[in-house]
Amino acid sequence: MSSTTTLQKAGDSSGDPGGAQPSDGLKAGLKNRHLSMIAIGGVIGAGLFVGSSGGIAKAGPAILVSYALVGAMVVFVMRMLGEMAAASPNSGSFSAYADRALGRWAGFSIGWLYWFFWVVVLAVEATAGAVILESWIPAVPQWAWALIVMAVLTVTNLGSVASYGEFEFWFAGIKVVAIGGFVIVGLLAVFGVLPGSDNPGAGFAHLTDAGGFMPNGWGAILTGVLMVVFSFMGSEIVTLAAGESEDPRRAVTKATNSVIWRIGVFYLGSIFVVITLLPWNDKSILEKGSYVAALDSIGIAHAGQIMNVIVLTAVLSCLNSGLYTASRMAFSLGERGDAPKAFAKVNKRGVPVAAILGSVVFGFVAVYFNYAFKDTVFNFLLNSSGAVALFVWLVICLTQLRMRKILVREAPEKLTVKMWLFPYLTYATAAMIVFVLGYMLFDDANRQVVVLSLLVAAVVLSVGVFRDGRRKAAERASV
């Protein structure tokens, strides 16, 4: 396959310079405001709200360095992905690019692993949302709430891509307003200028007054990296959604250019507020959660319930996006012949119904496993998909190294977004990802996740290589 054909097949839109109408049967139903909010909300997962307290307890104020390191890694990965997506918008995103740049086996493998990751996430998030909803309305059992939220969002996704975009616009909007308000109010309290605050306002003193900035040493920063890295998964969703937008190249360019401030404000900004409002070793951070503890210290009434509403919004947002993302990856795999052909069919509204239903069925099964076989089957599903985020980011690095050469040779005018300091920063990012994976193997809490994820990846990769070999043999035989 020539490089020119490669670029066209990777998702170029039917001769439209703006890429406004997808050529794969999907409808351009996402407006620019949808894409903007998807891009912003994609980096704010429930993991930020519920997982940050453990990282603070391990690393102290130095958790800021952990978040900064992972944030930088995500910024670089998104820049690479943005370079490829702006040149060739595609609903298969990095899987489609890996298919063309590295080989069919690579696109098959990373596409199915990514799909597997998100359908497991569906069960995790549905259960998390059900826990909150059951606490409000205990008459409805937890398993029923999990099925209800899954069913509602399935109907939303089956409606049209605009329905998904509209729901995500409001879900993400609530998260953005909540964190933005938290940062502003928190900073006012930090400096003692918030009227009626119960927090004395110690300024930056809490960054060093409980054992220094790195109370547990440099090693704790790396441990913190392992604890926060998975809360960043989802930033790449905007490049999949861009294929169904009014102007994919503009949307991708805008999203990748804004990822730095998004991570800076929402992750580093909010965590900075928490550890300046309270000493890092304050027991309430672990007992109540970092954000609830911070709000309580200010004197915000009903902080726990407020945070439950925000977390529920984040959970529903993640469910909504997870189903959308899994279905679009399944659609792309079907279109390339790597999944059932039915997955590549769309209805008159441009919705890949079979891909959505196929994804949600596995999600429903995973929900069942979570309740019936939590410590065996579901635990295996959870652990074996845990490191997929890092695999995806690594493949994006390797793919971009090859795709840049193709773009420069065949379509340099499409390089509207460029990776900085290419290829050195790409290599450095890939090396950091490999280092994190290696470090996880020596960490007791993460070893099983890496080993099981590698095992599943090896199985999928073997199937991909076998299929690619058979395809090439068939092509040679037909010549």
Side-chain angles (χ1 to χ4, degrees), residues 258-333:
S258 66
V259 71
I260 297 175
W261 73 259
R262 287 186 275 129
I263 288 175
V265 171
F266 298 127
Y267 278 85
L268 290 174
S270 62
I271 297 300
F272 176 80
V273 166
V274 171
I275 59 177
T276 47
L277 280 174
L278 292 165
W280 69 271
N281 55 358
D282 190 299
K283 292 181 180 179
S284 66
I285 292 178
L286 272 179
E287 291 172 355
K288 300 177 181 179
S290 53
Y291 290 84
V292 174
L295 290 173
D296 275 345
S297 78
I298 298 173
I300 303 294
H302 309 295
Q305 286 303 320
I306 292 172
M307 193 51 58
N308 274 340
V309 172
I310 296 169
V311 171
L312 179 62
T313 303
V315 163
L316 294 176
S317 172
C318 191
L319 263 173
N320 194 37
S321 289
L323 182 52
Y324 171 84
T325 304
S327 66
R328 277 5 181 225
M329 186 57 73
F331 169 84
S332 179
L333 288 166

Coordinates of all heavy atoms in Angstrom, one line a residue, residues 258-333:
S258 N -4.9 23.1 23.7 CA -5.4 23.6 25.1 C -5.1 22.5 26.2 O -5.5 22.8 27.3 CB -6.9 23.8 25.0 OG -7.6 22.7 24.7
V259 N -4.5 21.4 25.8 CA -4.4 20.3 26.8 C -3.5 20.7 28.0 O -3.7 20.3 29.1 CB -3.9 19.0 26.2 CG1 -2.4 19.2 25.7 CG2 -4.1 17.8 27.1
I260 N -2.5 21.6 27.7 CA -1.6 22.1 28.8 C -2.3 22.8 29.9 O -2.2 22.5 31.1 CB -0.5 22.9 28.2 CG1 0.4 22.2 27.2 CG2 0.4 23.5 29.3 CD1 1.4 23.0 26.5
W261 N -3.1 23.8 29.5 CA -3.8 24.6 30.6 C -4.9 23.7 31.2 O -5.2 23.9 32.4 CB -4.4 25.9 30.0 CG -5.6 25.8 29.1 CD1 -5.6 25.9 27.8 CD2 -7.0 25.7 29.5 NE1 -6.9 25.8 27.3 CE2 -7.8 25.7 28.3 CE3 -7.6 25.5 30.8 CZ2 -9.1 25.5 28.4 CZ3 -9.0 25.4 30.8 CH2 -9.7 25.4 29.6
R262 N -5.5 22.8 30.5 CA -6.5 21.9 31.1 C -6.0 21.1 32.2 O -6.5 21.0 33.3 CB -7.2 21.0 30.0 CG -8.1 21.8 29.1 CD -8.8 20.9 28.1 NE -8.1 20.6 26.9 CZ -7.9 19.4 26.5 NH1 -8.3 18.3 27.1 NH2 -7.2 19.2 25.4
I263 N -4.8 20.5 31.9 CA -4.2 19.6 33.0 C -3.7 20.5 34.1 O -3.8 20.2 35.3 CB -3.1 18.8 32.3 CG1 -3.7 17.7 31.5 CG2 -2.2 18.2 33.4 CD1 -2.6 16.9 30.7
G264 N -3.1 21.7 33.7 CA -2.6 22.6 34.7 C -3.6 23.1 35.7 O -3.4 23.1 36.9
V265 N -4.8 23.5 35.2 CA -5.8 24.0 36.0 C -6.6 22.9 36.8 O -6.7 23.0 38.0 CB -6.9 24.8 35.2 CG1 -8.1 25.2 36.1 CG2 -6.2 26.1 34.7
F266 N -7.0 21.9 36.1 CA -7.9 20.9 36.7 C -7.2 19.9 37.6 O -7.7 19.5 38.6 CB -8.7 20.2 35.6 CG -9.6 21.1 34.9 CD1 -9.6 21.1 33.5 CD2 -10.5 22.0 35.5 CE1 -10.4 22.0 32.8 CE2 -11.3 22.8 34.8 CZ -11.2 22.8 33.4
Y267 N -6.0 19.5 37.2 CA -5.2 18.5 38.0 C -4.3 19.2 39.0 O -4.5 19.2 40.2 CB -4.5 17.6 37.1 CG -5.3 16.4 36.6 CD1 -6.1 16.6 35.5 CD2 -5.4 15.2 37.3 CE1 -6.9 15.6 35.0 CE2 -6.1 14.2 36.8 CZ -6.9 14.4 35.7 OH -7.7 13.3 35.2
L268 N -3.3 19.9 38.5 CA -2.3 20.6 39.3 C -3.0 21.6 40.2 O -2.7 21.8 41.4 CB -1.2 21.2 38.5 CG -0.3 20.1 37.8 CD1 0.7 20.9 36.9 CD2 0.5 19.3 38.9
G269 N -3.9 22.4 39.6 CA -4.5 23.5 40.4 C -5.3 23.0 41.5 O -5.2 23.5 42.7
S270 N -6.2 22.0 41.3 CA -7.1 21.5 42.4 C -6.3 20.8 43.4 O -6.6 20.9 44.6 CB -8.2 20.6 41.8 OG -7.6 19.5 41.2
I271 N -5.3 20.0 43.1 CA -4.5 19.3 44.1 C -3.6 20.3 44.9 O -3.5 20.1 46.1 CB -3.5 18.2 43.4 CG1 -4.4 17.2 42.7 CG2 -2.6 17.6 44.4 CD1 -5.3 16.4 43.6
F272 N -3.1 21.3 44.2 CA -2.4 22.4 44.9 C -3.3 23.0 46.0 O -2.8 23.2 47.1 CB -1.9 23.4 43.9 CG -1.2 24.6 44.5 CD1 0.1 24.5 44.9 CD2 -1.9 25.8 44.8 CE1 0.7 25.6 45.5 CE2 -1.3 26.9 45.4 CZ 0.1 26.8 45.7
V273 N -4.5 23.2 45.7 CA -5.5 23.8 46.6 C -5.6 22.9 47.8 O -5.6 23.4 49.0 CB -6.8 24.1 46.0 CG1 -7.9 24.4 47.0 CG2 -6.7 25.3 45.0
V274 N -5.8 21.6 47.6 CA -6.0 20.7 48.7 C -4.8 20.7 49.7 O -5.0 20.8 50.9 CB -6.2 19.2 48.1 CG1 -6.2 18.2 49.3 CG2 -7.5 19.1 47.4
I275 N -3.6 20.6 49.1 CA -2.4 20.5 50.0 C -2.0 21.8 50.6 O -1.0 21.8 51.4 CB -1.3 19.7 49.3 CG1 -0.8 20.5 48.0 CG2 -1.6 18.3 49.0 CD1 0.4 19.8 47.4
T276 N -2.5 22.9 50.1 CA -2.3 24.2 50.8 C -3.3 24.5 51.8 O -3.1 25.4 52.7 CB -2.1 25.3 49.8 OG1 -3.2 25.3 48.8 CG2 -0.8 25.2 49.0
L277 N -4.5 23.9 51.7 CA -5.6 24.2 52.7 C -5.3 23.3 53.9 O -5.7 23.7 55.0 CB -6.9 23.8 52.1 CG -7.6 24.9 51.2 CD1 -8.9 24.3 50.6 CD2 -7.9 26.2 52.0
L278 N -4.7 22.1 53.7 CA -4.6 21.2 54.8 C -3.1 20.6 54.8 O -2.6 20.4 53.7 CB -5.6 20.0 54.7 CG -7.0 20.3 54.9 CD1 -7.9 19.1 54.4 CD2 -7.3 20.6 56.4
P279 N -2.6 20.2 56.0 CA -1.3 19.5 56.0 C -1.5 18.2 55.2 O -2.6 17.5 55.4 CB -1.0 19.3 57.4 CG -1.8 20.3 58.2 CD -3.1 20.5 57.3
W280 N -0.6 17.7 54.5 CA -0.7 16.5 53.7 C -1.1 15.2 54.5 O -1.7 14.3 54.1 CB 0.5 16.2 52.9 CG 1.7 15.8 53.7 CD1 2.6 16.6 54.3 CD2 2.1 14.4 54.1 NE1 3.6 15.9 55.0 CE2 3.2 14.5 54.9 CE3 1.6 13.2 53.8 CZ2 3.9 13.4 55.4 CZ3 2.2 12.1 54.4 CH2 3.3 12.2 55.1
N281 N -0.6 15.2 55.8 CA -0.9 14.1 56.7 C -2.1 14.2 57.5 O -2.3 13.5 58.5 CB 0.4 13.8 57.5 CG 0.8 15.0 58.4 OD1 0.2 16.1 58.3 ND2 1.8 14.8 59.2
D282 N -3.0 15.2 57.2 CA -4.2 15.3 58.0 C -5.1 14.1 57.7 O -5.3 13.7 56.6 CB -5.0 16.6 57.5 CG -6.1 17.0 58.3 OD1 -7.1 16.1 58.4 OD2 -6.2 18.1 58.9
K283 N -5.5 13.5 58.8 CA -6.3 12.2 58.7 C -7.6 12.3 57.9 O -8.0 11.4 57.2 CB -6.6 11.7 60.1 CG -5.4 11.2 60.9 CD -5.8 10.7 62.2 CE -4.6 10.2 63.0 NZ -4.9 9.7 64.4
S284 N -8.1 13.5 57.9 CA -9.4 13.7 57.1 C -9.3 13.5 55.6 O -10.2 13.2 54.9 CB -10.0 15.1 57.4 OG -9.2 16.1 56.9
I285 N -8.1 13.7 55.1 CA -7.9 13.5 53.6 C -8.1 12.1 53.2 O -8.8 11.9 52.2 CB -6.4 14.0 53.2 CG1 -6.3 15.5 53.4 CG2 -6.1 13.6 51.8 CD1 -4.9 16.1 53.1
L286 N -7.6 11.2 54.0 CA -7.9 9.8 53.7 C -9.3 9.3 54.1 O -9.9 8.5 53.4 CB -6.8 8.9 54.4 CG -5.5 8.6 53.6 CD1 -4.6 7.7 54.4 CD2 -5.8 7.9 52.2
E287 N -9.7 9.8 55.2 CA -11.0 9.4 55.8 C -12.2 9.9 54.9 O -13.1 9.1 54.6 CB -11.2 9.8 57.2 CG -10.2 9.1 58.2 CD -10.3 9.8 59.6 OE1 -11.0 10.8 59.7 OE2 -9.6 9.2 60.5
K288 N -12.1 11.1 54.5 CA -13.3 11.7 53.8 C -13.0 11.8 52.3 O -14.0 12.0 51.5 CB -13.5 13.1 54.3 CG -13.9 13.2 55.8 CD -14.1 14.6 56.2 CE -14.4 14.7 57.7 NZ -14.6 16.1 58.1
G289 N -11.7 11.8 51.9 CA -11.4 12.1 50.5 C -10.8 13.5 50.4 O -11.2 14.4 51.2
S290 N -9.9 13.8 49.5 CA -9.1 15.0 49.5 C -10.0 16.2 49.3 O -9.9 17.3 50.0 CB -8.0 15.0 48.5 OG -8.6 14.6 47.2
Y291 N -11.0 16.2 48.4 CA -11.8 17.3 48.1 C -12.8 17.6 49.2 O -13.1 18.8 49.5 CB -12.5 17.1 46.7 CG -11.5 17.2 45.6 CD1 -10.8 16.0 45.2 CD2 -11.3 18.4 44.9 CE1 -9.9 16.1 44.1 CE2 -10.4 18.4 43.8 CZ -9.7 17.3 43.5 OH -8.8 17.3 42.5
V292 N -13.4 16.6 49.7 CA -14.4 16.7 50.8 C -13.7 17.3 52.0 O -14.2 18.2 52.7 CB -15.1 15.4 51.2 CG1 -16.0 15.6 52.4 CG2 -15.9 14.9 50.0
A293 N -12.5 16.8 52.3 CA -11.7 17.3 53.5 C -11.4 18.8 53.3 O -11.5 19.6 54.3 CB -10.5 16.5 53.7
A294 N -11.0 19.2 52.1 CA -10.7 20.6 51.8 C -11.9 21.5 52.0 O -11.9 22.5 52.6 CB -10.1 20.7 50.4
L295 N -13.1 21.0 51.5 CA -14.3 21.8 51.6 C -14.7 21.9 53.0 O -15.2 22.9 53.5 CB -15.4 21.2 50.7 CG -15.2 21.3 49.2 CD1 -16.3 20.4 48.5 CD2 -15.3 22.7 48.7
D296 N -14.6 20.8 53.8 CA -15.0 20.8 55.2 C -14.1 21.8 56.0 O -14.6 22.5 56.9 CB -14.8 19.4 55.8 CG -16.0 18.5 55.6 OD1 -17.1 19.1 55.2 OD2 -15.9 17.3 55.7
S297 N -12.8 21.9 55.6 CA -11.9 22.8 56.3 C -12.3 24.3 56.1 O -12.0 25.1 56.9 CB -10.5 22.6 55.8 OG -10.2 23.2 54.6
I298 N -12.9 24.5 55.0 CA -13.4 25.9 54.7 C -14.7 26.2 55.4 O -14.9 27.3 55.8 CB -13.6 26.1 53.2 CG1 -12.3 25.9 52.4 CG2 -14.2 27.5 52.9 CD1 -12.4 25.9 50.9
G299 N -15.4 25.1 55.6 CA -16.7 25.3 56.3 C -17.9 25.2 55.4 O -19.0 25.8 55.7
I300 N -17.7 24.6 54.2 CA -18.8 24.5 53.2 C -19.8 23.4 53.8 O -19.4 22.3 54.0 CB -18.3 24.0 51.9 CG1 -17.2 25.0 51.3 CG2 -19.4 23.8 50.9 CD1 -17.8 26.4 51.0
A301 N -21.0 23.8 53.9 CA -22.0 22.8 54.5 C -22.3 21.7 53.5 O -22.3 22.0 52.3 CB -23.3 23.6 54.8
H302 N -22.5 20.5 54.0 CA -22.9 19.4 53.2 C -21.9 19.1 52.1 O -22.2 18.7 51.0 CB -24.3 19.6 52.5 CG -25.4 20.0 53.5 ND1 -25.8 19.2 54.5 CD2 -26.1 21.1 53.6 CE1 -26.7 19.8 55.2 NE2 -26.9 21.0 54.6
A303 N -20.6 19.2 52.4 CA -19.5 19.0 51.5 C -19.5 17.6 50.9 O -19.3 17.4 49.7 CB -18.2 19.3 52.1
G304 N -19.8 16.6 51.7 CA -19.8 15.2 51.3 C -20.9 15.0 50.2 O -20.6 14.4 49.2
Q305 N -22.1 15.5 50.4 CA -23.2 15.4 49.4 C -22.9 16.1 48.1 O -23.2 15.7 47.0 CB -24.5 15.8 50.0 CG -25.1 14.8 51.0 CD -25.2 13.4 50.5 OE1 -25.6 13.2 49.3 NE2 -24.8 12.4 51.2
I306 N -22.3 17.3 48.3 CA -21.9 18.1 47.1 C -20.9 17.3 46.3 O -21.1 17.2 45.0 CB -21.3 19.5 47.5 CG1 -22.4 20.4 48.2 CG2 -20.7 20.2 46.3 CD1 -21.8 21.6 48.8
M307 N -20.0 16.7 46.9 CA -19.0 16.0 46.2 C -19.6 14.7 45.6 O -19.2 14.3 44.5 CB -17.8 15.6 47.1 CG -16.6 15.1 46.4 SD -16.0 16.1 45.0 CE -15.7 17.7 45.8
N308 N -20.5 14.1 46.3 CA -21.2 12.9 45.7 C -21.9 13.3 44.4 O -21.9 12.5 43.4 CB -22.2 12.4 46.7 CG -21.6 11.4 47.7 OD1 -20.6 10.9 47.4 ND2 -22.3 11.2 48.8
V309 N -22.5 14.5 44.3 CA -23.2 14.9 43.1 C -22.2 15.1 42.0 O -22.4 14.6 40.8 CB -24.0 16.2 43.3 CG1 -24.5 16.8 42.0 CG2 -25.1 16.0 44.3
I310 N -21.0 15.7 42.3 CA -20.0 15.9 41.3 C -19.4 14.6 40.8 O -19.2 14.4 39.6 CB -18.9 16.9 41.9 CG1 -19.5 18.2 42.2 CG2 -17.7 17.0 40.9 CD1 -18.6 19.1 43.0
V311 N -19.1 13.7 41.8 CA -18.6 12.4 41.4 C -19.5 11.6 40.6 O -19.1 11.0 39.6 CB -18.2 11.6 42.7 CG1 -17.8 10.2 42.3 CG2 -17.0 12.2 43.4
L312 N -20.8 11.7 40.9 CA -21.8 11.0 40.1 C -21.8 11.6 38.7 O -21.9 10.8 37.7 CB -23.2 11.2 40.7 CG -24.4 10.5 40.0 CD1 -24.2 9.0 39.9 CD2 -25.7 10.8 40.6
T313 N -21.7 12.9 38.6 CA -21.6 13.5 37.2 C -20.4 13.0 36.5 O -20.5 12.7 35.3 CB -21.6 15.0 37.4 OG1 -22.7 15.5 38.1 CG2 -21.5 15.7 36.0
A314 N -19.3 12.9 37.2 CA -18.1 12.4 36.5 C -18.2 11.0 36.1 O -17.8 10.5 35.0 CB -16.9 12.5 37.5
V315 N -18.9 10.2 36.9 CA -19.2 8.8 36.6 C -20.0 8.6 35.4 O -19.8 7.8 34.5 CB -19.8 8.0 37.8 CG1 -20.4 6.7 37.4 CG2 -18.8 7.8 38.9
L316 N -21.1 9.4 35.3 CA -22.0 9.3 34.2 C -21.3 9.8 32.9 O -21.6 9.3 31.8 CB -23.3 10.2 34.5 CG -24.2 9.7 35.6 CD1 -25.3 10.7 35.8 CD2 -24.8 8.3 35.3
S317 N -20.5 10.8 33.1 CA -19.7 11.3 31.9 C -18.8 10.3 31.4 O -18.7 10.0 30.2 CB -18.9 12.6 32.4 OG -18.0 13.0 31.4
C318 N -18.1 9.6 32.3 CA -17.2 8.5 32.0 C -17.9 7.3 31.3 O -17.5 6.8 30.3 CB -16.4 8.0 33.2 SG -15.0 6.9 32.8
L319 N -19.1 7.0 31.8 CA -19.9 6.0 31.2 C -20.4 6.3 29.8 O -20.3 5.5 28.9 CB -21.2 5.7 32.1 CG -21.2 4.6 33.1 CD1 -22.4 4.6 34.0 CD2 -21.1 3.3 32.4
N320 N -20.8 7.6 29.7 CA -21.3 8.1 28.4 C -20.2 8.0 27.4 O -20.3 7.5 26.2 CB -21.8 9.5 28.6 CG -22.6 10.0 27.4 OD1 -23.4 9.3 26.8 ND2 -22.4 11.3 27.1
S321 N -19.0 8.5 27.7 CA -17.9 8.6 26.8 C -17.3 7.2 26.6 O -16.8 6.9 25.5 CB -16.8 9.5 27.4 OG -17.2 10.8 27.3
G322 N -17.3 6.3 27.7 CA -16.8 5.0 27.5 C -17.6 4.2 26.5 O -17.0 3.5 25.7
L323 N -18.9 4.3 26.6 CA -19.7 3.6 25.6 C -19.5 4.1 24.2 O -19.4 3.4 23.2 CB -21.2 3.7 26.0 CG -22.2 2.9 25.1 CD1 -21.8 1.4 24.9 CD2 -23.6 3.0 25.7
Y324 N -19.5 5.4 24.1 CA -19.2 6.0 22.8 C -17.9 5.6 22.2 O -17.8 5.2 21.1 CB -19.2 7.6 22.9 CG -18.8 8.3 21.7 CD1 -19.7 8.5 20.6 CD2 -17.5 8.7 21.5 CE1 -19.3 9.2 19.5 CE2 -17.0 9.3 20.3 CZ -17.9 9.5 19.3 OH -17.5 10.2 18.2
T325 N -16.8 5.7 23.1 CA -15.5 5.3 22.6 C -15.3 3.9 22.2 O -14.8 3.6 21.2 CB -14.5 5.7 23.7 OG1 -14.6 7.0 24.1 CG2 -13.0 5.4 23.3
A326 N -15.9 3.0 23.0 CA -15.8 1.5 22.7 C -16.5 1.2 21.4 O -16.0 0.5 20.6 CB -16.4 0.7 23.9
S327 N -17.7 1.9 21.2 CA -18.5 1.6 20.0 C -17.8 2.1 18.8 O -17.8 1.5 17.7 CB -19.9 2.2 20.1 OG -19.8 3.6 20.2
R328 N -17.2 3.3 18.9 CA -16.5 3.8 17.7 C -15.2 3.0 17.4 O -14.9 2.9 16.2 CB -16.1 5.3 17.9 CG -17.2 6.3 17.6 CD -18.6 5.7 17.3 NE -19.6 6.8 17.0 CZ -20.8 6.7 17.5 NH1 -21.2 5.7 18.4 NH2 -21.7 7.6 17.2
M329 N -14.5 2.5 18.4 CA -13.4 1.7 18.1 C -13.8 0.4 17.5 O -13.2 -0.1 16.5 CB -12.6 1.4 19.4 CG -11.3 0.7 19.2 SD -10.2 1.5 18.0 CE -9.6 2.9 19.0
A330 N -15.0 -0.2 18.0 CA -15.5 -1.4 17.4 C -15.9 -1.2 15.9 O -15.7 -2.0 15.0 CB -16.7 -1.9 18.2
F331 N -16.5 0.0 15.7 CA -16.9 0.4 14.3 C -15.7 0.4 13.4 O -15.7 -0.1 12.3 CB -17.6 1.8 14.4 CG -17.8 2.4 13.0 CD1 -19.0 2.0 12.3 CD2 -16.9 3.3 12.5 CE1 -19.2 2.6 11.0 CE2 -17.1 3.8 11.2 CZ -18.2 3.5 10.5
S332 N -14.7 1.1 13.9 CA -13.5 1.2 13.1 C -12.8 -0.1 12.8 O -12.4 -0.4 11.7 CB -12.4 2.1 13.8 OG -11.3 2.3 13.0
L333 N -12.8 -1.0 13.8 CA -12.3 -2.4 13.6 C -13.1 -3.1 12.6 O -12.6 -3.9 11.7 CB -12.2 -3.1 14.9 CG -11.1 -2.6 15.9 CD1 -11.4 -3.2 17.3 CD2 -9.7 -3.0 15.5

